[in-house]
């Protein structure tokens, strides 16, 4: 899942970027609204974490611009202001959620997970495909009666495929969901990670879950 952080306070921007990446998200981060708008127009994000008090273009002006263009981007506002008027104003402009500084990083992560699920019209944190169960809140995976241990990157790819279960997902779509703009595109990185997933998810005798569509990409489903 890909996230854009727009935050001008450098220590917070760096800590959010580091923490979200450690949680398995692809993260781009910028320090002002002008660069934020440029990044939004250049790429697709599952979520925008947007500070209100920004230089050049402030967060509410940026949000107003996105909604005027009818963009569906999910936006989590960050602010040091805790008045009801400020919260209502941001939500009325089209923010999906609102978090007041200072906040616990664990709370931000929980809100991120909820907003990502909402983007795929899923209210439950659990995704089930055949005998595969993915708990997106706890980031745990089970197949049948066994737990499946995945790295953060492997889990991110699996969740990305699971949200699109039954549909072909291209290699470029997978790449863009798990790497930021600064990452160097590797020709076979996605194939390598899908191979890792298959070895962990599809032990001997277990039906296949991830299928290759030659020339197109991959599809996760529970069909025999």
């Amino acid at each position: 899942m890909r996230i854009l952080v727009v935050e001008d306070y450098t220590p917070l921007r760096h800590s959010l970027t580091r923490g979200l990446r450690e949680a398995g998200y692809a993260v781009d981060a910028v320090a002002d609204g002008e660069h934020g708008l440029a990044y939004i127009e250049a790429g697709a994000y599952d979520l925008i974490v947007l500070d209100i008090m920004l230089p050049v273009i402030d967060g509410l002006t940026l949000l107003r611009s996105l909604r005027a263009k009818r963009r569906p981007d999910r936006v989590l506002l960050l602010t040091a202001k805790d008045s009801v008027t400020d919260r209502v104003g941001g939500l009325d402009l089209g923010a999906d959620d609102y978090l007041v500084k200072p906040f616990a990083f664990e709370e931000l992560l929980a809100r991120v997970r909820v907003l990502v699920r909402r983007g795929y019209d899923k209210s439950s944190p659990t995704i089930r495909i055949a005998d595969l169960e993915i708990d997106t809140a706890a980031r745990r995976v089970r197949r049948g009666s066994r737990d499946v241990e995945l790295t953060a990157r492997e889990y991110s790819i699996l969740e990305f495929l699971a949200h699109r279960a039954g549909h072909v997902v291209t290699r470029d779509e997978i790449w863009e969901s798990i790497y930021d703009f600064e990452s160097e595109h590797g020709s076979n990185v996605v194939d390598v990670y899908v191979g890792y997933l298959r070895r962990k998810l599809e032990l001997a005798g277990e039906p296949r879950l991830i299928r290759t569509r030659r020339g197109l990409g991959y599809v996760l489903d529970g069909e025999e």
Side-chain angles (χ1 to χ4, degrees):
M1 304 300 164
R2 196 169 182 183
I3 296 174
L4 175 65
V5 174
V6 190
E7 166 61 58
D8 66 322
Y9 184 50
T10 301
L12 179 57
R13 184 174 67 254
H14 287 173
S15 66
L16 289 176
T17 301
R18 182 177 60 255
L20 288 167
R21 284 176 177 166
E22 289 175 353
Y25 296 100
V27 184
D28 292 311
V30 295
D32 63 72
E34 183 177 36
H35 283 90
L37 184 59
Y39 270 62
I40 292 166
E41 292 177 342
Y45 293 96
D46 293 283
L47 178 65
I48 301 165
V49 179
L50 178 64
D51 186 29
I52 287 182
M53 302 297 291
L54 292 170
V56 189
I57 300 176
D58 67 83
L60 293 182
T61 298
L62 175 53
L63 176 59
R64 187 181 292 110
S65 174
L66 295 180
R67 296 310 184 229
K69 296 175 182 176
R70 299 185 181 279
R71 290 187 59 106
D73 309 78
R74 287 171 296 287
V75 176
L76 171 60
L77 284 180
L78 303 181
T79 182
K81 298 181 178 181
D82 191 22
S83 74
V84 173
T85 300
D86 291 323
R87 294 198 300 272
V88 170
L91 294 170
D92 280 346
L93 282 175
D96 297 277
D97 203 353
Y98 201 106
L99 195 54
V100 177
K101 303 175 185 178
F103 52 82
F105 183 71
E106 290 76 10
E107 181 180 1
L108 180 135
L109 274 181
R111 291 172 184 259
V112 166
R113 291 191 293 266
V114 168
L115 291 175
V116 169
R117 289 200 303 270
R118 187 183 300 170
Y120 294 103
D121 294 323
K122 297 183 186 300
S123 57
S124 171
T126 303
I127 303 173
R128 292 183 176 84
I129 302 163
D131 62 346
L132 178 68
E133 181 178 295
I134 305 169
D135 183 339
T136 62
R139 299 176 75 84
R140 287 198 297 262
V141 178
R142 290 180 60 83
R143 178 152 197 200
S145 60
R146 66 181 178 89
D147 293 324
V148 181
E149 297 295 330
L150 301 178
T151 66
R153 187 71 70 197
E154 291 165 356
Y155 175 84
S156 294
I157 294 176
L158 178 62
E159 184 178 329
F160 186 74
L161 291 170
H163 280 305
R164 297 158 178 78
H167 299 278
V168 175
V169 182
T170 69
R171 290 172 175 83
D172 283 344
E173 287 173 331
I174 296 173
W175 174 271
E176 290 170 2
S177 78
I178 60 173
Y179 288 100
D180 52 51
F181 278 134
E182 297 179 359
S183 301
E184 183 178 354
H185 201 306
S187 60
N188 68 336
V189 169
V190 170
D191 295 332
V192 169
Y193 273 101
V194 170
Y196 294 157
L197 274 175
R198 280 174 165 159
R199 283 195 287 274
K200 293 181 177 183
L201 292 173
E202 302 167 356
L203 299 184
E206 293 180 327
R208 300 202 73 176
L209 288 170
I210 303 174
R211 305 171 191 279
T212 303
R213 293 292 183 260
R214 191 173 298 277
L216 297 174
Y218 298 101
V219 58
L220 175 67
D221 61 37
E223 298 179 1
E224 291 290 341

